[in-house]
Structure formats: C-alpha cells, structure tokens
Amino acid sequence: MGKLLEVTDLKVDFATAKGTLRAVDGVSFSLDKGESLGLVGESGCGKSTTAYALMRLLSDNGRVSGGKVEVDGKDLVAASDVELRKSRWQDIAIVFQNAMTALNPVMKIGDQLADALVLHQQVPRSQAMARAAEIFEKVGLAPSRLMHYPHEFSGGMKQRAVMALALICSPKVLLADEPTTALDVVAQRQVLELLVALKKDFGLSLILISHDISAVAETCERVAVMYAGQIVEEGPTRRTLLGARHPYTRGLVASMPSLHADIDTLESIEGGPPDLTHPPAACRFAPRCPYAQPICTAEAPPMVEVDAERRSRCHFALDLDQLKPRERSANVAS
Ligand code: SF4
C-alpha cells in the first residue's frame, strides 16, 4: 500500500531582484497514516517553504517548479484550482506560524470555524457550529468562547483556536509551522502536548516545522534535517539526533542548550548558509563543515543510505567517526 503523503523531488523557485532563488531543491519524503515527521533547520533553510508548497500557498513571486506532492494518491502540484480547493483543509491543513495574524480580527472565532466547514463540506450552519464546539473542546477551549473575538484570547488560546480551525474539516495530514513561536515556555509545552494528543485522537499524520530540535525530539517519530533547500539527513528521531551521520545535524544538536550540561559555553556552527541564487555546485555545507575534505568542494554528495531507515547527504556518512573534525569556536554565553 502507498504512503498517505509522498513528496518527490519537490522544487520551489522565487523570482528575486538578484535572479531566481531555488528555496527548495529536490526534497523527497513520505509519511504514513498516523506518523509524525519533524522538519528542522536554521531560518531560511526551506522548511516553511516546503510546507507552504505542499498546500500551494506560496507568495506571488514563488512557484513549484518541479516534483510531485501526492496526498492519498492525489497529486496536488498537478491539481486544478477546483481540485486543490477540495483537498485543502480536508486532505491537508496547516497551523500557521503566527496565530495573531492567522485569525480574522473582526469575526467571532466560532463564525470563522463554521464558515470553513460550510464552505468546504456544505453542511448546514447549525451542524457546523455544533462541530466547532466539539473541536473547541478537543483543543482545550470552552465552547462558550466560540462567540468571542480573537483579541479576547491570550496568545496560547489563540494558538489553540488556530489549531481548531485547521482541524475543523478533519484533515488527514496536519502541517504545524512553528506553532510555539511567540508563546511563553508553559504555553509552548502545552501546545506541543496538545499536538501529540490530537495526532492520536484524530489519527493524523503530522509534520512539525521547527527550528527547535528539542520540540521535534519530544513530538515526532521521524526527523528530516534541512540545509540550504535540501534534506541533508533523515531517519527515526532519536537515532538520527543522537547518532547523527551528517556534520550539520551534529552541529545543530551540539548548539542545543542542555539542562544537564555546562551552560557557560554553547557551541556554534561557524559561518552562514550559501546564497541560493548561486548555490555551490559541490557540498553546500562545505564552507562551514569541520569535517570537510578535498572531495567536498569538488563533488556534490549523493544521499547515502545509512541503514534501512536512515539517509544522509554526506560523502562520509558511513565513516564520519574516522575523520577528525576541525576545532569549533566556543561562544561564551552571556
Ligand atoms: Fe562536510 Fe564533506 Fe559531508 Fe559536506 S560532504 S557535510 S563538507 S564532510
């Protein structure tokens, strides 16, 4: 049986003043029913663009220039606008990054939920409001708050309301784009726990987009690490993060603050990502990589199978531990 979501060789281009910028370059991954995948990487690595491309919600200067996005066998890249409208929110839905702006400020939240259901599933309004109340309870909000405006909600409550909006049409795949941004730490934890509970409750397939590796480690069964528009490492979350086979993943993990380690020094990944209007022809991480060898600036590394469940885009994925890394800088935490 095929996977619920299959993304194959996805490419996304943006027209910029400097020329065409390929923000996503040959991204492939798949997701089973009920499975969760975390997409991690620095700002600008292409993780949010990948999510928006799956929904075909790119800005006017962006376009999907290649590849396939199949949800339950339907190709959303090739779909007509009418077909796409049917799939959005019902097959695949998104929790937007900024809950403050994802809701219409001049409409009561219950009306926004009911409108989405009436529009996409043509149900009577009374039935739509009953469903909105049901979903509100699932996300931990009192149905009595349905007739309130967004400005009457706290940040954490708004994020829950945005999650209710994404779930109102019972999608099969839920994309959550940095859902904890701008929340305090208590609300962040509550939102992540809620995502895990909703995934189980609704049988959802979940893609969590985050720069926060620990959020993904706690929430997702699999992780895909993105760098400069490409997936550079993918596999089961724990094994991939603890036994990384790509130097960039190792750098991300090493730069994570830990409760148990000395916090006087934090490791950093030196340098910055390449200009994607003119990406390097060889390894994109080579200028920053402490393990780089002559071949790395001469040839682009292929995606290598580390084992049946893991892959890494590194010439030395299978023997990284035999290389001696260049010394990293240590930044003194202030
Ligand atoms: Fe580093 Fe070379 Fe691997 Fe690229 S291919 S990540 S430069 S070791």
Side-chain angles (χ1 to χ4, degrees), residues 246-247 283 285-286 289 291-293 296 301 313-316 320 323:
H246 193 285
C283 177
F285 189 56
C289 181
Y291 295 87
Q293 304 292 315
C296 305
R313 193 183 294 277
C314 175
H315 286 301
F316 300 97
L320 199 55
L323 298 181

PDB file of all heavy atoms in Angstrom, residues 246-247 283 285-286 289 291-293 296 301 313-316 320 323, ligand 1:
ATOM      1  N   HIS A 246      25.456  13.261   9.645  1.00  0.00           N
ATOM      2  CA  HIS A 246      25.764  14.448   8.837  1.00  0.00           C
ATOM      3  C   HIS A 246      26.333  15.520   9.771  1.00  0.00           C
ATOM      4  O   HIS A 246      25.760  15.766  10.842  1.00  0.00           O
ATOM      5  CB  HIS A 246      24.510  14.973   8.127  1.00  0.00           C
ATOM      6  CG  HIS A 246      24.845  15.970   7.061  1.00  0.00           C
ATOM      7  ND1 HIS A 246      25.217  17.259   7.340  1.00  0.00           N
ATOM      8  CD2 HIS A 246      24.900  15.842   5.712  1.00  0.00           C
ATOM      9  CE1 HIS A 246      25.474  17.895   6.207  1.00  0.00           C
ATOM     10  NE2 HIS A 246      25.293  17.051   5.199  1.00  0.00           N
ATOM     11  N   PRO A 247      27.425  16.160   9.394  1.00  0.00           N
ATOM     12  CA  PRO A 247      28.035  17.162  10.286  1.00  0.00           C
ATOM     13  C   PRO A 247      27.088  18.306  10.640  1.00  0.00           C
ATOM     14  O   PRO A 247      27.183  18.861  11.747  1.00  0.00           O
ATOM     15  CB  PRO A 247      29.229  17.670   9.470  1.00  0.00           C
ATOM     16  CG  PRO A 247      29.590  16.511   8.601  1.00  0.00           C
ATOM     17  CD  PRO A 247      28.279  15.880   8.230  1.00  0.00           C
ATOM     18  N   CYS A 283      29.312  20.265  -2.162  1.00  0.00           N
ATOM     19  CA  CYS A 283      28.534  20.196  -0.917  1.00  0.00           C
ATOM     20  C   CYS A 283      28.207  21.607  -0.417  1.00  0.00           C
ATOM     21  O   CYS A 283      29.109  22.433  -0.223  1.00  0.00           O
ATOM     22  CB  CYS A 283      29.312  19.435   0.156  1.00  0.00           C
ATOM     23  SG  CYS A 283      28.413  19.427   1.728  1.00  0.00           S
ATOM     24  N   PHE A 285      27.296  22.550   2.431  1.00  0.00           N
ATOM     25  CA  PHE A 285      27.715  22.811   3.809  1.00  0.00           C
ATOM     26  C   PHE A 285      29.234  22.923   3.936  1.00  0.00           C
ATOM     27  O   PHE A 285      29.752  23.298   4.988  1.00  0.00           O
ATOM     28  CB  PHE A 285      27.173  21.689   4.719  1.00  0.00           C
ATOM     29  CG  PHE A 285      27.349  21.944   6.180  1.00  0.00           C
ATOM     30  CD1 PHE A 285      26.853  23.091   6.781  1.00  0.00           C
ATOM     31  CD2 PHE A 285      28.019  21.030   6.984  1.00  0.00           C
ATOM     32  CE1 PHE A 285      27.022  23.341   8.138  1.00  0.00           C
ATOM     33  CE2 PHE A 285      28.192  21.259   8.344  1.00  0.00           C
ATOM     34  CZ  PHE A 285      27.691  22.425   8.919  1.00  0.00           C
ATOM     35  N   ALA A 286      29.957  22.635   2.850  1.00  0.00           N
ATOM     36  CA  ALA A 286      31.430  22.533   2.917  1.00  0.00           C
ATOM     37  C   ALA A 286      32.110  23.751   3.554  1.00  0.00           C
ATOM     38  O   ALA A 286      32.997  23.578   4.403  1.00  0.00           O
ATOM     39  CB  ALA A 286      32.003  22.242   1.542  1.00  0.00           C
ATOM     40  N   CYS A 289      31.798  23.272   7.260  1.00  0.00           N
ATOM     41  CA  CYS A 289      31.874  21.913   7.811  1.00  0.00           C
ATOM     42  C   CYS A 289      33.234  21.628   8.447  1.00  0.00           C
ATOM     43  O   CYS A 289      34.273  21.731   7.784  1.00  0.00           O
ATOM     44  CB  CYS A 289      31.606  20.896   6.705  1.00  0.00           C
ATOM     45  SG  CYS A 289      31.658  19.206   7.323  1.00  0.00           S
ATOM     46  N   TYR A 291      34.432  18.848   9.099  1.00  0.00           N
ATOM     47  CA  TYR A 291      34.962  17.570   8.599  1.00  0.00           C
ATOM     48  C   TYR A 291      35.352  17.653   7.122  1.00  0.00           C
ATOM     49  O   TYR A 291      35.723  16.644   6.530  1.00  0.00           O
ATOM     50  CB  TYR A 291      33.899  16.471   8.738  1.00  0.00           C
ATOM     51  CG  TYR A 291      33.507  16.135  10.156  1.00  0.00           C
ATOM     52  CD1 TYR A 291      32.500  16.852  10.805  1.00  0.00           C
ATOM     53  CD2 TYR A 291      34.124  15.094  10.853  1.00  0.00           C
ATOM     54  CE1 TYR A 291      32.123  16.546  12.093  1.00  0.00           C
ATOM     55  CE2 TYR A 291      33.750  14.780  12.150  1.00  0.00           C
ATOM     56  CZ  TYR A 291      32.747  15.508  12.770  1.00  0.00           C
ATOM     57  OH  TYR A 291      32.374  15.201  14.049  1.00  0.00           O
ATOM     58  N   ALA A 292      35.236  18.832   6.485  1.00  0.00           N
ATOM     59  CA  ALA A 292      35.378  18.923   5.014  1.00  0.00           C
ATOM     60  C   ALA A 292      36.725  18.389   4.518  1.00  0.00           C
ATOM     61  O   ALA A 292      37.764  18.617   5.144  1.00  0.00           O
ATOM     62  CB  ALA A 292      35.180  20.369   4.576  1.00  0.00           C
ATOM     63  N   GLN A 293      36.672  17.695   3.392  1.00  0.00           N
ATOM     64  CA  GLN A 293      37.849  17.112   2.728  1.00  0.00           C
ATOM     65  C   GLN A 293      37.854  17.642   1.285  1.00  0.00           C
ATOM     66  O   GLN A 293      36.865  18.208   0.828  1.00  0.00           O
ATOM     67  CB  GLN A 293      37.726  15.577   2.720  1.00  0.00           C
ATOM     68  CG  GLN A 293      37.546  14.951   4.096  1.00  0.00           C
ATOM     69  CD  GLN A 293      38.782  15.088   4.969  1.00  0.00           C
ATOM     70  OE1 GLN A 293      39.901  14.848   4.516  1.00  0.00           O
ATOM     71  NE2 GLN A 293      38.581  15.504   6.217  1.00  0.00           N
ATOM     72  N   CYS A 296      34.837  17.311  -0.975  1.00  0.00           N
ATOM     73  CA  CYS A 296      33.597  18.016  -0.593  1.00  0.00           C
ATOM     74  C   CYS A 296      33.390  19.303  -1.401  1.00  0.00           C
ATOM     75  O   CYS A 296      32.257  19.740  -1.610  1.00  0.00           O
ATOM     76  CB  CYS A 296      33.619  18.336   0.897  1.00  0.00           C
ATOM     77  SG  CYS A 296      33.891  16.875   1.920  1.00  0.00           S
ATOM     78  N   PRO A 301      27.635  15.739  -2.712  1.00  0.00           N
ATOM     79  CA  PRO A 301      27.445  14.403  -2.130  1.00  0.00           C
ATOM     80  C   PRO A 301      26.072  13.839  -2.491  1.00  0.00           C
ATOM     81  O   PRO A 301      25.080  14.573  -2.494  1.00  0.00           O
ATOM     82  CB  PRO A 301      27.555  14.647  -0.617  1.00  0.00           C
ATOM     83  CG  PRO A 301      27.232  16.093  -0.434  1.00  0.00           C
ATOM     84  CD  PRO A 301      27.607  16.806  -1.693  1.00  0.00           C
ATOM     85  N   ARG A 313      23.111  13.061   3.379  1.00  0.00           N
ATOM     86  CA  ARG A 313      23.713  13.633   2.165  1.00  0.00           C
ATOM     87  C   ARG A 313      25.143  14.087   2.500  1.00  0.00           C
ATOM     88  O   ARG A 313      25.414  15.271   2.657  1.00  0.00           O
ATOM     89  CB  ARG A 313      22.868  14.832   1.708  1.00  0.00           C
ATOM     90  CG  ARG A 313      23.184  15.342   0.315  1.00  0.00           C
ATOM     91  CD  ARG A 313      22.335  16.566   0.008  1.00  0.00           C
ATOM     92  NE  ARG A 313      20.924  16.279  -0.081  1.00  0.00           N
ATOM     93  CZ  ARG A 313      20.314  15.809  -1.161  1.00  0.00           C
ATOM     94  NH1 ARG A 313      20.994  15.602  -2.255  1.00  0.00           N
ATOM     95  NH2 ARG A 313      19.009  15.581  -1.147  1.00  0.00           N
ATOM     96  N   CYS A 314      26.030  13.123   2.673  1.00  0.00           N
ATOM     97  CA  CYS A 314      27.419  13.435   3.028  1.00  0.00           C
ATOM     98  C   CYS A 314      28.319  12.377   2.400  1.00  0.00           C
ATOM     99  O   CYS A 314      27.999  11.192   2.438  1.00  0.00           O
ATOM    100  CB  CYS A 314      27.566  13.434   4.557  1.00  0.00           C
ATOM    101  SG  CYS A 314      29.279  13.666   5.091  1.00  0.00           S
ATOM    102  N   HIS A 315      29.456  12.833   1.848  1.00  0.00           N
ATOM    103  CA  HIS A 315      30.408  11.874   1.273  1.00  0.00           C
ATOM    104  C   HIS A 315      30.905  10.887   2.320  1.00  0.00           C
ATOM    105  O   HIS A 315      31.342   9.796   1.986  1.00  0.00           O
ATOM    106  CB  HIS A 315      31.626  12.629   0.707  1.00  0.00           C
ATOM    107  CG  HIS A 315      31.351  13.346  -0.573  1.00  0.00           C
ATOM    108  ND1 HIS A 315      30.918  12.706  -1.711  1.00  0.00           N
ATOM    109  CD2 HIS A 315      31.454  14.663  -0.913  1.00  0.00           C
ATOM    110  CE1 HIS A 315      30.775  13.586  -2.696  1.00  0.00           C
ATOM    111  NE2 HIS A 315      31.081  14.783  -2.225  1.00  0.00           N
ATOM    112  N   PHE A 316      30.858  11.297   3.604  1.00  0.00           N
ATOM    113  CA  PHE A 316      31.453  10.463   4.652  1.00  0.00           C
ATOM    114  C   PHE A 316      30.395   9.958   5.638  1.00  0.00           C
ATOM    115  O   PHE A 316      30.715   9.666   6.793  1.00  0.00           O
ATOM    116  CB  PHE A 316      32.556  11.249   5.375  1.00  0.00           C
ATOM    117  CG  PHE A 316      33.641  11.677   4.426  1.00  0.00           C
ATOM    118  CD1 PHE A 316      33.637  12.960   3.871  1.00  0.00           C
ATOM    119  CD2 PHE A 316      34.618  10.789   4.021  1.00  0.00           C
ATOM    120  CE1 PHE A 316      34.600  13.348   2.958  1.00  0.00           C
ATOM    121  CE2 PHE A 316      35.588  11.168   3.096  1.00  0.00           C
ATOM    122  CZ  PHE A 316      35.591  12.443   2.562  1.00  0.00           C
ATOM    123  N   LEU A 320      32.058   8.836   9.156  1.00  0.00           N
ATOM    124  CA  LEU A 320      32.297  10.171   9.716  1.00  0.00           C
ATOM    125  C   LEU A 320      33.168  10.120  10.967  1.00  0.00           C
ATOM    126  O   LEU A 320      34.010  11.003  11.190  1.00  0.00           O
ATOM    127  CB  LEU A 320      30.941  10.818  10.034  1.00  0.00           C
ATOM    128  CG  LEU A 320      30.899  12.324  10.201  1.00  0.00           C
ATOM    129  CD1 LEU A 320      31.473  13.043   8.996  1.00  0.00           C
ATOM    130  CD2 LEU A 320      29.461  12.785  10.443  1.00  0.00           C
ATOM    131  N   LEU A 323      36.934  10.547  10.768  1.00  0.00           N
ATOM    132  CA  LEU A 323      37.539  11.845  10.425  1.00  0.00           C
ATOM    133  C   LEU A 323      37.713  12.659  11.701  1.00  0.00           C
ATOM    134  O   LEU A 323      36.886  12.605  12.601  1.00  0.00           O
ATOM    135  CB  LEU A 323      36.636  12.624   9.458  1.00  0.00           C
ATOM    136  CG  LEU A 323      36.361  12.001   8.084  1.00  0.00           C
ATOM    137  CD1 LEU A 323      35.465  12.925   7.278  1.00  0.00           C
ATOM    138  CD2 LEU A 323      37.670  11.754   7.334  1.00  0.00           C
TER     139      LEU A 323
HETATM  140 FE1  SF4 B   1      31.048  18.004   5.403  1.00  0.00          FE
HETATM  141 FE2  SF4 B   1      32.057  16.894   3.210  1.00  0.00          FE
HETATM  142 FE3  SF4 B   1      29.990  15.766   4.417  1.00  0.00          FE
HETATM  143 FE4  SF4 B   1      29.688  18.075   3.119  1.00  0.00          FE
HETATM  144  S1  SF4 B   1      30.230  16.087   2.217  1.00  0.00           S
HETATM  145  S2  SF4 B   1      28.873  17.571   5.087  1.00  0.00           S
HETATM  146  S3  SF4 B   1      31.649  19.078   3.557  1.00  0.00           S
HETATM  147  S4  SF4 B   1      32.061  16.012   5.248  1.00  0.00           S
END
